[in-house]
Amino acid sequence: MKKIKKIGILTSGGDAPGMNAAIRSVVRTGIHYGYEMYGIYHGYDGLVSGEIEKLEARDVSGILQKGGTKLKTSRCPAFLEKDTRDIARSMCKVFGIDVVVVIGGDGSYRGALALANEGLPVVCIPGTIDNDIGCTDYTIGFDTALNTVQDAIDKIRDTAYSHERCYVIEVMGRNAGYIALNNGIAGGADAILIPEEPFNINDVIKIIIEGRNRGKDDFTIIVAEGVKNAQDICALIEENTGIISRYTILGYVQRGGSPSAYDRVMASRMGDLAIKTINQNNLNKIISLKNNQLVAQDIDEALKMTKTIDKEMLEVAKILSI
Ligand code: ADP
Ligand code: F6P
């Protein structure tokens, strides 16, 4: 087996707070173990075009507490084509890169799996605010996003209380409801609408009417972006309940900001394990959190795994919103 000397690192897909902490950890742990570390800019785009530079320990100073990603990121549709990935693999040969660490979501993992199958070893670290990757209980950025959303919900609830209105708050999550479910509970929502559960506007209207009959004056409805747009839901609520209703789409604010302590620690530990895994010649792995333990799983097996929303959390939210 060829001795690994040079390791590349890239971030891909939607950025997430804590990606920088993971980059810092991978680079410094890599240097600690004697590897040469290379930053690949703009995700898979940069792997194809050769936007690659050597990173020293000091190059990742001052980024631990910063949101976004120092290495920039991209969506690179061309990477679905083998011809494009062939260029990426050739580029790695040019720079002498033996392994690429990919920080991103499950789309980025599929790109990494294709590279692995075609002969370029990879190790992946989960980075997305959505927490929607089947093989891991946690993805870097999720905790920070929850705290950002929480701050927004708390502020909106102040005005909902004062005006006795209904607020519909749309949160991110692509096709998953993890952000909505957690912030719905933490924010005391009257209803939480997630893609994993069938959506019926009449159920929401009933919750609001019954709540009003029990003496509630204001309402908070959390909707995950994968359900239906907040504006339409808001209009239907106002039309059918007579309660003045407003909507807020939190949008990209959820992806930014200084990572929480939890995200920094998780990113640092995952980066460390990624390098230790490479150091043991364990390649084509995904670093995951499973039952509170960090593990390195085979990428092809890991990508087949699914995870499901804890429906009991919906029940908790329902009981607590009486
Ligand atoms: P995320 O990694 O956050 O889920 P995307 O789904 O946008 O974000 O994926 C990021 C990038 O990963 C895509 O722009 C593309 O370059 C690459 N990618 C996604 N799916 C595949 C695939 N099936 N084959 C090869 N590359 C892929
Ligand atoms: O995956 C992170 C995420 O922010 C999702 O929650 C959202 O659906 C998507 O990315 C938005 O992507 P874009 O930056 O391409 O608009």
mmCIF file of all heavy atoms in Angstrom, residues 248-280:
data_model
loop_
_atom_site.group_PDB
_atom_site.id
_atom_site.type_symbol
_atom_site.label_atom_id
_atom_site.label_comp_id
_atom_site.label_asym_id
_atom_site.label_seq_id
_atom_site.Cartn_x
_atom_site.Cartn_y
_atom_site.Cartn_z
ATOM 1 N N THR A 248 -42.802 34.590 9.009
ATOM 2 C CA THR A 248 -41.390 34.967 8.909
ATOM 3 C C THR A 248 -40.638 33.770 8.354
ATOM 4 O O THR A 248 -40.782 32.654 8.865
ATOM 5 C CB THR A 248 -40.793 35.285 10.307
ATOM 6 O OG1 THR A 248 -41.518 36.374 10.852
ATOM 7 C CG2 THR A 248 -39.326 35.669 10.219
ATOM 8 N N ILE A 249 -39.860 34.029 7.305
ATOM 9 C CA ILE A 249 -38.985 32.965 6.779
ATOM 10 C C ILE A 249 -37.576 33.287 7.277
ATOM 11 O O ILE A 249 -37.003 34.294 6.880
ATOM 12 C CB ILE A 249 -39.065 32.919 5.233
ATOM 13 C CG1 ILE A 249 -40.501 32.596 4.801
ATOM 14 C CG2 ILE A 249 -38.069 31.898 4.667
ATOM 15 C CD1 ILE A 249 -40.773 32.707 3.314
ATOM 16 N N LEU A 250 -37.071 32.454 8.181
ATOM 17 C CA LEU A 250 -35.786 32.810 8.810
ATOM 18 C C LEU A 250 -34.617 32.768 7.824
ATOM 19 O O LEU A 250 -33.681 33.546 7.933
ATOM 20 C CB LEU A 250 -35.515 31.922 10.015
ATOM 21 C CG LEU A 250 -36.485 32.132 11.187
ATOM 22 C CD1 LEU A 250 -36.086 31.249 12.358
ATOM 23 C CD2 LEU A 250 -36.563 33.580 11.619
ATOM 24 N N GLY A 251 -34.660 31.871 6.879
ATOM 25 C CA GLY A 251 -33.680 31.863 5.782
ATOM 26 C C GLY A 251 -32.229 31.684 6.209
ATOM 27 O O GLY A 251 -31.929 30.990 7.185
ATOM 28 N N TYR A 252 -31.341 32.358 5.497
ATOM 29 C CA TYR A 252 -29.905 32.054 5.590
ATOM 30 C C TYR A 252 -29.248 32.483 6.897
ATOM 31 O O TYR A 252 -28.123 32.062 7.174
ATOM 32 C CB TYR A 252 -29.164 32.653 4.392
ATOM 33 C CG TYR A 252 -29.559 31.942 3.120
ATOM 34 C CD1 TYR A 252 -30.553 32.460 2.292
ATOM 35 C CD2 TYR A 252 -28.997 30.725 2.785
ATOM 36 C CE1 TYR A 252 -30.959 31.788 1.162
ATOM 37 C CE2 TYR A 252 -29.389 30.037 1.652
ATOM 38 C CZ TYR A 252 -30.372 30.572 0.842
ATOM 39 O OH TYR A 252 -30.771 29.899 -0.268
ATOM 40 N N VAL A 253 -29.952 33.278 7.696
ATOM 41 C CA VAL A 253 -29.399 33.629 9.007
ATOM 42 C C VAL A 253 -29.094 32.345 9.795
ATOM 43 O O VAL A 253 -28.175 32.290 10.622
ATOM 44 C CB VAL A 253 -30.383 34.565 9.763
ATOM 45 C CG1 VAL A 253 -31.658 33.835 10.169
ATOM 46 C CG2 VAL A 253 -29.746 35.194 10.964
ATOM 47 N N GLN A 254 -29.859 31.295 9.497
ATOM 48 C CA GLN A 254 -29.690 30.013 10.208
ATOM 49 C C GLN A 254 -28.361 29.332 9.900
ATOM 50 O O GLN A 254 -27.934 28.439 10.621
ATOM 51 C CB GLN A 254 -30.817 29.040 9.813
ATOM 52 C CG GLN A 254 -32.185 29.487 10.264
ATOM 53 C CD GLN A 254 -33.303 28.763 9.521
ATOM 54 O OE1 GLN A 254 -33.783 27.755 9.965
ATOM 55 N NE2 GLN A 254 -33.711 29.296 8.379
ATOM 56 N N ARG A 255 -27.737 29.709 8.794
ATOM 57 C CA ARG A 255 -26.494 29.020 8.412
ATOM 58 C C ARG A 255 -25.245 29.728 8.921
ATOM 59 O O ARG A 255 -24.142 29.181 8.822
ATOM 60 C CB ARG A 255 -26.423 28.896 6.885
ATOM 61 C CG ARG A 255 -27.288 27.802 6.333
ATOM 62 C CD ARG A 255 -26.607 27.002 5.252
ATOM 63 N NE ARG A 255 -26.087 27.755 4.153
ATOM 64 C CZ ARG A 255 -26.498 27.633 2.883
ATOM 65 N NH1 ARG A 255 -27.467 26.794 2.580
ATOM 66 N NH2 ARG A 255 -25.932 28.312 1.935
ATOM 67 N N GLY A 256 -25.437 30.972 9.440
ATOM 68 C CA GLY A 256 -24.254 31.740 9.809
ATOM 69 C C GLY A 256 -24.020 31.795 11.306
ATOM 70 O O GLY A 256 -24.689 31.116 12.081
ATOM 71 N N GLY A 257 -23.045 32.596 11.673
ATOM 72 C CA GLY A 257 -22.784 32.875 13.086
ATOM 73 C C GLY A 257 -21.682 32.024 13.686
ATOM 74 O O GLY A 257 -21.302 30.990 13.152
ATOM 75 N N SER A 258 -21.210 32.531 14.812
ATOM 76 C CA SER A 258 -20.139 31.852 15.534
ATOM 77 C C SER A 258 -20.640 30.499 16.046
ATOM 78 O O SER A 258 -21.721 30.417 16.621
ATOM 79 C CB SER A 258 -19.733 32.755 16.709
ATOM 80 O OG SER A 258 -18.735 32.143 17.450
ATOM 81 N N PRO A 259 -19.892 29.428 15.813
ATOM 82 C CA PRO A 259 -20.359 28.111 16.259
ATOM 83 C C PRO A 259 -20.478 28.016 17.774
ATOM 84 O O PRO A 259 -19.679 28.606 18.504
ATOM 85 C CB PRO A 259 -19.286 27.147 15.737
ATOM 86 C CG PRO A 259 -18.099 27.984 15.431
ATOM 87 C CD PRO A 259 -18.599 29.358 15.112
ATOM 88 N N SER A 260 -21.474 27.275 18.218
ATOM 89 C CA SER A 260 -21.654 27.040 19.655
ATOM 90 C C SER A 260 -20.471 26.233 20.188
ATOM 91 O O SER A 260 -19.735 25.595 19.416
ATOM 92 C CB SER A 260 -22.950 26.259 19.893
ATOM 93 O OG SER A 260 -22.836 24.960 19.327
ATOM 94 N N ALA A 261 -20.336 26.224 21.508
ATOM 95 C CA ALA A 261 -19.260 25.434 22.123
ATOM 96 C C ALA A 261 -19.396 23.967 21.709
ATOM 97 O O ALA A 261 -18.406 23.299 21.388
ATOM 98 C CB ALA A 261 -19.328 25.579 23.643
ATOM 99 N N TYR A 262 -20.641 23.477 21.686
ATOM 100 C CA TYR A 262 -20.862 22.070 21.331
ATOM 101 C C TYR A 262 -20.363 21.792 19.905
ATOM 102 O O TYR A 262 -19.679 20.780 19.662
ATOM 103 C CB TYR A 262 -22.352 21.715 21.458
ATOM 104 C CG TYR A 262 -22.630 20.251 21.215
ATOM 105 C CD1 TYR A 262 -22.347 19.309 22.199
ATOM 106 C CD2 TYR A 262 -23.153 19.802 20.000
ATOM 107 C CE1 TYR A 262 -22.582 17.954 21.983
ATOM 108 C CE2 TYR A 262 -23.387 18.455 19.774
ATOM 109 C CZ TYR A 262 -23.104 17.533 20.771
ATOM 110 O OH TYR A 262 -23.333 16.201 20.552
ATOM 111 N N ASP A 263 -20.701 22.689 18.974
ATOM 112 C CA ASP A 263 -20.244 22.468 17.592
ATOM 113 C C ASP A 263 -18.725 22.533 17.479
ATOM 114 O O ASP A 263 -18.120 21.777 16.708
ATOM 115 C CB ASP A 263 -20.904 23.485 16.637
ATOM 116 C CG ASP A 263 -22.249 22.962 16.136
ATOM 117 O OD1 ASP A 263 -22.362 21.747 15.908
ATOM 118 O OD2 ASP A 263 -23.187 23.763 15.991
ATOM 119 N N ARG A 264 -18.103 23.427 18.241
ATOM 120 C CA ARG A 264 -16.631 23.521 18.189
ATOM 121 C C ARG A 264 -15.980 22.234 18.716
ATOM 122 O O ARG A 264 -15.003 21.745 18.151
ATOM 123 C CB ARG A 264 -16.144 24.702 19.032
ATOM 124 C CG ARG A 264 -16.598 26.038 18.487
ATOM 125 C CD ARG A 264 -16.038 27.156 19.328
ATOM 126 N NE ARG A 264 -16.835 28.351 19.186
ATOM 127 C CZ ARG A 264 -16.501 29.537 19.655
ATOM 128 N NH1 ARG A 264 -15.368 29.675 20.320
ATOM 129 N NH2 ARG A 264 -17.285 30.576 19.483
ATOM 130 N N VAL A 265 -16.550 21.730 19.808
ATOM 131 C CA VAL A 265 -15.976 20.512 20.400
ATOM 132 C C VAL A 265 -16.193 19.332 19.451
ATOM 133 O O VAL A 265 -15.266 18.550 19.173
ATOM 134 C CB VAL A 265 -16.602 20.231 21.792
ATOM 135 C CG1 VAL A 265 -16.157 18.878 22.321
ATOM 136 C CG2 VAL A 265 -16.229 21.330 22.775
ATOM 137 N N MET A 266 -17.412 19.215 18.949
ATOM 138 C CA MET A 266 -17.725 18.090 18.059
ATOM 139 C C MET A 266 -16.850 18.154 16.795
ATOM 140 O O MET A 266 -16.303 17.138 16.350
ATOM 141 C CB MET A 266 -19.218 18.171 17.701
ATOM 142 C CG MET A 266 -19.818 16.887 17.266
ATOM 143 S SD MET A 266 -19.397 15.489 18.302
ATOM 144 C CE MET A 266 -20.682 15.547 19.466
ATOM 145 N N ALA A 267 -16.721 19.357 16.229
ATOM 146 C CA ALA A 267 -15.908 19.517 15.012
ATOM 147 C C ALA A 267 -14.447 19.166 15.297
ATOM 148 O O ALA A 267 -13.784 18.502 14.490
ATOM 149 C CB ALA A 267 -16.022 20.954 14.506
ATOM 150 N N SER A 268 -13.962 19.586 16.449
ATOM 151 C CA SER A 268 -12.558 19.321 16.801
ATOM 152 C C SER A 268 -12.334 17.819 16.966
ATOM 153 O O SER A 268 -11.330 17.264 16.496
ATOM 154 C CB SER A 268 -12.192 20.040 18.111
ATOM 155 O OG SER A 268 -12.385 21.431 17.957
ATOM 156 N N ARG A 269 -13.287 17.157 17.609
ATOM 157 C CA ARG A 269 -13.143 15.711 17.837
ATOM 158 C C ARG A 269 -13.303 14.920 16.534
ATOM 159 O O ARG A 269 -12.594 13.936 16.297
ATOM 160 C CB ARG A 269 -14.166 15.247 18.872
ATOM 161 C CG ARG A 269 -13.887 15.797 20.271
ATOM 162 C CD ARG A 269 -14.929 15.330 21.254
ATOM 163 N NE ARG A 269 -14.988 13.893 21.329
ATOM 164 C CZ ARG A 269 -16.094 13.194 21.648
ATOM 165 N NH1 ARG A 269 -17.212 13.824 21.930
ATOM 166 N NH2 ARG A 269 -16.070 11.892 21.689
ATOM 167 N N MET A 270 -14.233 15.340 15.699
ATOM 168 C CA MET A 270 -14.443 14.620 14.434
ATOM 169 C C MET A 270 -13.225 14.789 13.515
ATOM 170 O O MET A 270 -12.802 13.843 12.842
ATOM 171 C CB MET A 270 -15.713 15.106 13.742
ATOM 172 C CG MET A 270 -16.983 14.602 14.405
ATOM 173 S SD MET A 270 -18.452 15.120 13.491
ATOM 174 C CE MET A 270 -19.722 14.088 14.245
ATOM 175 N N GLY A 271 -12.672 16.000 13.503
ATOM 176 C CA GLY A 271 -11.473 16.249 12.678
ATOM 177 C C GLY A 271 -10.320 15.378 13.151
ATOM 178 O O GLY A 271 -9.592 14.772 12.347
ATOM 179 N N ASP A 272 -10.173 15.304 14.453
ATOM 180 C CA ASP A 272 -9.117 14.491 15.060
ATOM 181 C C ASP A 272 -9.281 13.023 14.666
ATOM 182 O O ASP A 272 -8.326 12.362 14.228
ATOM 183 C CB ASP A 272 -9.219 14.669 16.591
ATOM 184 C CG ASP A 272 -8.297 13.737 17.350
ATOM 185 O OD1 ASP A 272 -7.100 14.055 17.435
ATOM 186 O OD2 ASP A 272 -8.787 12.706 17.856
ATOM 187 N N LEU A 273 -10.518 12.521 14.761
ATOM 188 C CA LEU A 273 -10.746 11.105 14.431
ATOM 189 C C LEU A 273 -10.533 10.843 12.931
ATOM 190 O O LEU A 273 -10.041 9.773 12.549
ATOM 191 C CB LEU A 273 -12.153 10.654 14.866
ATOM 192 C CG LEU A 273 -12.449 9.172 14.623
ATOM 193 C CD1 LEU A 273 -11.448 8.264 15.347
ATOM 194 C CD2 LEU A 273 -13.876 8.811 15.069
ATOM 195 N N ALA A 274 -10.879 11.829 12.119
ATOM 196 C CA ALA A 274 -10.673 11.656 10.662
ATOM 197 C C ALA A 274 -9.198 11.381 10.377
ATOM 198 O O ALA A 274 -8.847 10.461 9.625
ATOM 199 C CB ALA A 274 -11.155 12.901 9.909
ATOM 200 N N ILE A 275 -8.326 12.171 11.003
ATOM 201 C CA ILE A 275 -6.881 11.979 10.759
ATOM 202 C C ILE A 275 -6.385 10.676 11.385
ATOM 203 O O ILE A 275 -5.615 9.923 10.776
ATOM 204 C CB ILE A 275 -6.074 13.193 11.291
ATOM 205 C CG1 ILE A 275 -6.399 14.434 10.455
ATOM 206 C CG2 ILE A 275 -4.562 12.901 11.283
ATOM 207 C CD1 ILE A 275 -5.972 14.378 8.983
ATOM 208 N N LYS A 276 -6.859 10.387 12.592
ATOM 209 C CA LYS A 276 -6.419 9.123 13.232
ATOM 210 C C LYS A 276 -6.842 7.926 12.384
ATOM 211 O O LYS A 276 -6.118 6.932 12.283
ATOM 212 C CB LYS A 276 -6.991 9.015 14.645
ATOM 213 C CG LYS A 276 -6.250 9.920 15.612
ATOM 214 C CD LYS A 276 -6.784 9.828 17.017
ATOM 215 C CE LYS A 276 -5.945 10.689 17.955
ATOM 216 N NZ LYS A 276 -6.710 11.198 19.096
ATOM 217 N N THR A 277 -8.010 8.029 11.783
ATOM 218 C CA THR A 277 -8.514 6.954 10.918
ATOM 219 C C THR A 277 -7.586 6.794 9.708
ATOM 220 O O THR A 277 -7.190 5.678 9.348
ATOM 221 C CB THR A 277 -9.963 7.294 10.474
ATOM 222 O OG1 THR A 277 -10.747 7.439 11.649
ATOM 223 C CG2 THR A 277 -10.563 6.223 9.601
ATOM 224 N N ILE A 278 -7.221 7.911 9.097
ATOM 225 C CA ILE A 278 -6.301 7.871 7.953
ATOM 226 C C ILE A 278 -4.952 7.304 8.387
ATOM 227 O O ILE A 278 -4.338 6.487 7.703
ATOM 228 C CB ILE A 278 -6.127 9.293 7.343
ATOM 229 C CG1 ILE A 278 -7.440 9.763 6.718
ATOM 230 C CG2 ILE A 278 -4.980 9.322 6.324
ATOM 231 C CD1 ILE A 278 -7.459 11.221 6.305
ATOM 232 N N ASN A 279 -4.513 7.725 9.569
ATOM 233 C CA ASN A 279 -3.214 7.293 10.084
ATOM 234 C C ASN A 279 -3.153 5.779 10.290
ATOM 235 O O ASN A 279 -2.092 5.178 10.240
ATOM 236 C CB ASN A 279 -2.930 8.027 11.406
ATOM 237 C CG ASN A 279 -1.468 7.960 11.768
ATOM 238 O OD1 ASN A 279 -0.594 8.122 10.907
ATOM 239 N ND2 ASN A 279 -1.176 7.695 13.036
ATOM 240 N N GLN A 280 -4.343 5.183 10.498
ATOM 241 C CA GLN A 280 -4.384 3.714 10.643
ATOM 242 C C GLN A 280 -4.647 3.043 9.292
ATOM 243 O O GLN A 280 -5.029 1.878 9.246
ATOM 244 C CB GLN A 280 -5.483 3.326 11.632
ATOM 245 C CG GLN A 280 -5.141 3.694 13.061
ATOM 246 C CD GLN A 280 -6.373 3.770 13.959
ATOM 247 O OE1 GLN A 280 -7.496 3.596 13.497
ATOM 248 N NE2 GLN A 280 -6.160 4.034 15.218
#
